Amino acid sequence: FGSPVRIPGYDRITESNIEQAAEAFLRSHSDILKVDPDQVRLINKTFVNNRWYVSYVQTVGGVDVLLSEVRLRIFANGNVIAFGADYYPALKPLAPASLSWQAAAAQAGTGLQAPTTPALSVLPSNAASLFVLPLKQQDAIDYHLVYKVPVRSGYDSYVAYVDAHTGDVLWRYTTSHDAATEVTSQGGIHAVTP
């Protein structure tokens, strides 16, 4: 609410200076956002209806933090009209992985019931994708280094996040959609861009 926040020195935001303008805003307002500008990585910059939509992901030790995002909405005249952050300021670099991706992948299907044909399988991955997964507890947040492992069980596909130290599956969700049943669904969304 209220007036837009001006980015000093940026009267016109274009493709050539949007990254510098957004970084200047982050640096000058890092205390409000509780964000370390050196610990974020640009993931999106889109220009729609005279506004720039800029998004970052938090990183720690070069590893992306899942469920983190820093968002800026900037008019082309250099006025920031909205900003927000899902950021974990207490997060420090974690110990390196003690399990290999292959060992983690072997655990990714734990608990899934697969029919005999086709069987449970780990889908090919083009990289051993490591992430930090924040898990909220009652009074604190625990941080886990995890591998992202795509899995197929029968005709269903999943993404599993497997602890890179213990091999525990900490989070798994389906990426399959069944269109055999007609449904009506309502609800809110968190749009990345308009």
Side-chain angles (χ1 to χ4, degrees), residues 43-175:
I43 56 172
N44 184 48
K45 58 178 180 179
T46 306
F47 188 69
V48 178
N49 293 332
N50 204 37
R51 294 175 186 89
W52 284 97
Y53 292 78
V54 182
S55 298
Y56 298 86
V57 65
Q58 181 180 0
T59 64
V60 60
V63 178
D64 288 356
V65 179
L66 296 168
L67 310 174
S68 69
E69 184 184 19
V70 178
R71 300 165 298 282
L72 301 176
R73 306 299 178 251
I74 306 169
F75 273 124
N77 67 1
N79 286 336
V80 178
I81 57 168
F83 56 87
D86 295 315
Y87 189 88
Y88 302 91
L91 179 58
K92 303 290 184 231
L94 302 177
S98 56
L99 292 178
S100 67
W101 187 87
Q102 291 78 10
Q107 297 298 315
T110 302
L112 290 176
Q113 299 295 322
T116 55
T117 306
L120 180 70
S121 62
V122 173
L123 300 174
S125 179
N126 49 359
S129 304
L130 278 170
F131 296 90
V132 173
L133 175 62
L135 290 179
K136 294 181 181 179
Q137 305 301 326
Q138 189 171 5
D139 297 330
I141 299 175
D142 293 333
Y143 301 101
H144 298 266
L145 189 66
V146 294
Y147 286 107
K148 179 180 179 180
V149 182
V151 178
R152 181 176 295 273
S153 175
Y155 295 103
D156 295 323
S157 296
Y158 300 86
V159 171
Y161 290 94
V162 180
D163 191 295
H165 297 286
T166 66
D168 295 337
V169 176
L170 299 178
W171 182 25
R172 182 172 50 216
Y173 58 87
T174 182
T175 58

Side-chain angles (χ1 to χ4, degrees), residues 6-25 42 45 47 52 54 56 72 74-78:
R6 190 95 186 126
I7 304 175
Y10 292 92
D11 296 331
R12 186 166 181 266
I13 308 295
T14 65
E15 177 75 27
S16 65
N17 69 359
I18 181 59
E19 292 181 35
Q20 294 82 7
E23 183 178 343
F25 180 83
L42 180 70
K45 58 178 180 179
F47 188 69
W52 284 97
V54 182
Y56 298 86
L72 301 176
I74 306 169
F75 273 124
N77 67 1

